[in-house]
């Protein structure tokens, strides 16, 4: 890549090079401006890589191959439909994320259990684990996600306060702090983010935190970026550890099971699709009862669900509840 990179650098203006140095050295710790490469082919024909792929491959993902593996982040001008109006093409490597795909195959330590469930059979569990599962089923209906009776959904669509979502932070079964209303198109959720603003979890007090919660909180770091974009909601993992996401629109239509999507560091995923949500009356989860169909749940560093050792998100030490207003 060396000749292609040198050819690209020669065509960048001094201020673009300076901005690129700052972005790379900070590893995207702040929302920087676009690094504009001249339109046309700035490299030799031999490499055949667009500028954004070239720099993302050089500074972030050596295994990157094609531009369709990338997604513009919401604060990039090129991602707002303005790319054609710019003097050049944005190639800031921290204005892009990779697209997350469902993890296959499932984790091997529970692969047999998943196969049994797919065949309609109950996976074998020990008496002690069966007891824990029953306790989880009795106590897993929580907060504003739960709808005790059909037609009594507590969707935030009934609240006309101008925000598109509200965030609640949980540690196991305990909600910590107040709801955080989001009015801007995007919001950072983090524990440590230099030069950042948004929902800072480190500022939320708690009377007691177990060692497991403290360890999980130590992995949140720069957290994630939630953005409302045309058609749905996207989550970009800014931390150095995976996040795990579930929502009604991540599961195939008609599915009765739970889909939990693993999003690796540096990856983005469309975690809610407004069109797929439609007018669903409820989100029914095995063992957890009906839940608000316009909601997203995100666990930091720890997965849950049929193919994980934790069956319910209330078994995860640190997780986020996103309550969506239905778009008007």
């Amino acid at each position: 890549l060396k000749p292609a990179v040198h050819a690209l650098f020669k065509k960048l203006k001094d201020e673009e090079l300076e901005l690129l140095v700052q972005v790379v050295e900070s590893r995207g710790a702040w929302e920087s401006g676009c690094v504009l490469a001249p339109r046309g082919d700035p490299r030799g024909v031999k490499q055949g890589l667009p500028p954004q792929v070239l720099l993302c491959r050089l500074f972030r993902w050596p295994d990157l191959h094609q531009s369709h593996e990338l997604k513009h982040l919401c604060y990039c001008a090129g991602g707002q439909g303005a790319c054609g109006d710019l003097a050049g093409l944005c190639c800031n490597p921290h204005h892009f994320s990779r697209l997350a795909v469902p993890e296959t195959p499932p984790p091997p330590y529970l692969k047999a259990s998943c196969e049994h469930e797919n065949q309609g059979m109950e996976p074998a569990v020990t008496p002690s684990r069966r007891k824990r599962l029953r306790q989880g089923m009795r106590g897993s209906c929580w907060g504003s996600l739960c709808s005790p009776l059909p037609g009594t959904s507590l969707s935030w669509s009934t609240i006309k306060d101008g925000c598109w979502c509200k965030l609640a932070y949980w540690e196991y079964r305990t909600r910590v702090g107040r709801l955080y209303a989001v009015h801007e198109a995007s919001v950072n959720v983090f524990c440590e983010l230099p030069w950042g603003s948004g929902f800072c979890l480190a500022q939320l007090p708690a009377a007691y935190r177990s060692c497991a919660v403290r360890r999980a909180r130590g992995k949140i770091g720069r957290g994630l970026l939630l953005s409302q974009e045309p058609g749905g909601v996207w989550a970009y993992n800014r931390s150095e550890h995976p996040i795990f996401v579930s929502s009604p629109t991540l599961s195939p239509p008609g599915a009765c099971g739970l889909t939990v999507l693993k999003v690796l560091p540096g990856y983005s995923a469309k975690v809610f699709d407004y069109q797929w949500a439609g007018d669903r009356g409820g989100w029914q989860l095995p063992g957890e009862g009906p839940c608000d169909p316009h909601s997203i749940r995100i666990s930091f560093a720890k997965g849950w669900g049929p193919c994980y050792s934790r069956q319910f998100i209330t078994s995860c030490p640190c997780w986020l509840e996103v309550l969506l207003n239905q778009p008007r």
Side-chain angles (χ1 to χ4, degrees), residues 200-261:
C200 181
L201 303 180
Q203 296 180 350
L204 301 180
Y208 169 77
R209 285 193 171 104
S210 65
C211 292
V213 170
R214 290 197 296 268
R215 285 195 300 269
R217 282 172 61 88
K219 296 179 179 179
I220 295 175
R222 298 179 182 179
L224 59 96
L225 174 70
L226 279 175
S227 59
Q228 186 186 42
E229 303 182 28
V233 179
W234 286 79
Y236 168 50
N237 185 0
R238 302 189 68 172
S239 74
E240 296 181 357
H241 298 272
I243 60 174
F244 297 83
V245 187
S246 75
S247 82
T249 65
L250 284 176
S251 300
C256 60
L258 173 70
T259 296
V260 177
L261 179 64

Side-chain angles (χ1 to χ4, degrees), residues 1-41:
L1 298 179
K2 187 175 180 179
V5 170
H6 283 179
L8 175 59
F9 286 170
K10 288 179 180 178
K11 295 198 175 186
L12 294 179
K13 298 178 180 179
D14 290 344
E15 55 268 27
E16 307 289 344
L17 287 171
E18 183 177 352
L19 176 59
L20 181 61
V21 170
Q22 295 174 0
V23 168
V24 171
E25 288 181 346
S26 68
R27 296 186 297 118
W30 47 282
E31 293 182 5
S32 56
C34 291
V35 176
L36 298 179
R39 293 185 177 275
D41 188 1

Side-chain angles (χ1 to χ4, degrees), residues 124-169:
V125 293
T126 63
S128 61
R129 187 174 182 187
R130 184 177 291 109
K131 181 180 179 180
R132 291 198 302 271
L133 289 176
R134 289 194 185 115
Q135 292 172 347
M137 290 178 184
R138 287 197 297 269
S140 61
C141 204
W142 63 86
S144 46
L145 279 179
C146 196
S147 177
L149 293 172
T152 59
S153 171
L154 299 180
S155 172
W156 286 109
S157 62
T158 59
I159 299 179
K160 307 299 184 181
D161 57 3
C163 68
W164 64 270
C165 77
K166 291 190 176 183
L167 307 178
Y169 169 66

